[in-house]
């Protein structure tokens, strides 16, 4: 059992809080029984499981390397307020081929909670994949992962230059929808084509102009109350469920 916060393994786990270290190692940390089980059920590669000494693990954990640590060590590596005493190092997994007819393209969304909620909602709505553009918060950020509630392990996620992605998608028969306020049509007045890629943008700036200009449809969600705008993750949910109706 590891009891020293100066242990080299502990230092390596702690470094995974940093995006650069995650990318260098192609691994990330997850915490809690739910996320651990979702990673296992979804056949993601679990490098090792980290558990406090008194924590009882499911039987299937016997198939993995388990490192026991004391409470002090676990508190050092945890990023949750009420840790469950179990974490794991998981290998990153980038989807390769675009499949399906409904994709969510995310342009420079910065808030981890928003991105995590969008991933979770895309999973629930039955979207076929998510493409993350440059400037978007790291999908392996701890807050993003927790906000997905395990959906990060269920839906294919890609990274791409969205301008290039739109060109390729149009070649493959996709209609491109971009969200905006100006020169837009109400989303529920637009005919849904067989293949649709939906672009949502940054919380403050919205979708980049070059992507709006490349879109087949510019869509908006009408606001009937006095709110100035909708949260981007809420808007994404409304539009994704409309596409999948």
């Amino acid at each position: 059992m590891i009891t020293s916060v100066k242990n080299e393994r502990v230092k390596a786990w702690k470094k995974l809080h940093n995006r650069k270290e995650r990318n260098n190692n192609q691994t990330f940390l997850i915490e809690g029984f739910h996320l651990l089980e979702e990673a296992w059920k979804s056949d993601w590669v679990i490098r090792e499981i980290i558990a406090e000494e008194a924590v009882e693990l499911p039987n299937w954990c016997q198939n993995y390397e388990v490192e026991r640590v004391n409470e002090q060590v676990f508190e050092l590596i945890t990023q949750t307020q009420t840790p469950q005493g179990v974490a794991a190092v998981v290998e990153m997994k980038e989807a390769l081929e675009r499949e399906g007819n409904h994709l969510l393209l995310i342009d420079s969304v910065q808030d981890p909670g928003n991105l995590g909620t969008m991933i979770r909602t895309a999973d629930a709505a039955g979207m076929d994949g998510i493409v993350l553009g440059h400037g978007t918060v790291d999908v392996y950020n701890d807050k993003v992962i927790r906000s997905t509630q395990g959906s990060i392990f269920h839906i294919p996620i890609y990274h791409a230059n969205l301008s290039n992605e739109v060109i390729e998608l149009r070649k493959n028969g996709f209609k491109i929808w971009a969200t905006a306020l100006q020169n837009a049509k109400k989303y529920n007045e637009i005919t849904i084509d067989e293949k649709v890629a939906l672009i949502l943008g940054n919380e403050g700036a919205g979708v980049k102009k070059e992507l709006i200009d490349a879109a087949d449809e510019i869509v908006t969600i009408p606001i009937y109350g006095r709110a100035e705008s909708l949260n981007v993750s809420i808007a994404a949910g409304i539009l994704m469920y409309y596409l999948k109706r």
Side-chain angles (χ1 to χ4, degrees), residues 15-207:
K15 285 180 179 178
L16 293 179
H17 295 175
N18 179 277
R19 182 175 189 169
K20 182 179 179 181
E21 290 296 329
R22 290 194 293 269
N23 288 336
N24 286 342
N25 291 282
Q26 288 295 291
T27 58
F28 61 101
L29 272 175
I30 60 172
E31 293 181 43
F33 284 100
H34 176 67
L35 286 175
L36 179 61
E37 185 173 6
E38 291 303 312
W40 170 64
K41 286 180 177 178
S42 304
D43 292 326
W44 281 51
V45 177
I46 299 171
R47 287 268 187 95
E48 58 185 334
I49 296 170
I50 307 154
E52 281 192 50
E53 51 189 321
V55 169
E56 186 174 344
L57 297 174
N59 289 335
W60 60 263
C61 291
Q62 296 174 7
N63 297 321
Y64 296 91
E65 178 184 352
V66 177
E67 193 67 66
R68 291 286 180 173
V69 301
N70 65 8
E71 183 178 358
Q72 183 184 18
V73 168
F74 197 84
E75 285 182 354
L76 184 71
I77 66 170
T78 189
Q79 292 181 278
T80 55
Q81 293 184 344
T82 54
Q84 297 177 4
V86 63
V89 177
V90 181
E91 289 187 9
M92 293 181 180
K93 188 176 186 180
E94 177 84 9
L96 299 176
E97 298 293 329
R98 311 291 192 267
E99 296 180 353
N101 294 337
H102 297 101
L103 298 175
L104 175 64
L105 278 56
I106 299 179
D107 176 29
S108 301
V109 166
Q110 309 245 302
D111 182 85
N114 282 339
L115 179 58
T117 300
M118 292 165 82
I119 293 170
R120 182 179 181 182
T121 308
D123 180 22
M127 297 292 282
D128 298 305
I130 299 170
V131 184
L132 303 180
H134 301 323
T136 298
V137 63
D138 182 19
V139 70
Y140 297 111
N141 174 293
D142 174 69
K143 291 181 181 178
V144 174
I145 293 169
R146 281 189 276 122
S147 295
T148 72
Q149 285 292 302
S151 289
I152 189 175
F153 302 119
H154 304 160
I155 186 168
I157 298 176
Y158 317 87
H159 292 80
N161 178 303
L162 294 188
S163 295
N164 295 339
E165 188 72 14
V166 165
I167 293 170
E168 290 302 313
L169 289 172
R170 293 187 77 176
K171 287 180 181 177
N172 286 285
F174 276 82
K175 293 294 184 181
I176 310 299
W177 289 20
T179 54
L181 297 176
Q182 303 297 320
N183 303 316
K185 299 177 185 176
K186 293 180 182 178
Y187 75 95
N188 53 355
E189 296 177 354
I190 298 174
T191 301
I192 302 171
D193 292 278
E194 181 181 357
K195 293 183 175 184
V196 178
L198 170 66
I199 311 174
L200 283 104
N202 176 268
E203 291 88 345
V207 176

Side-chain angles (χ1 to χ4, degrees), residues 111 114 117 200 203 229-236:
D111 182 85
N114 282 339
T117 300
L200 283 104
E203 291 88 345
S229 62
L230 283 170
N231 171 279
V232 66
S233 63
I234 298 295

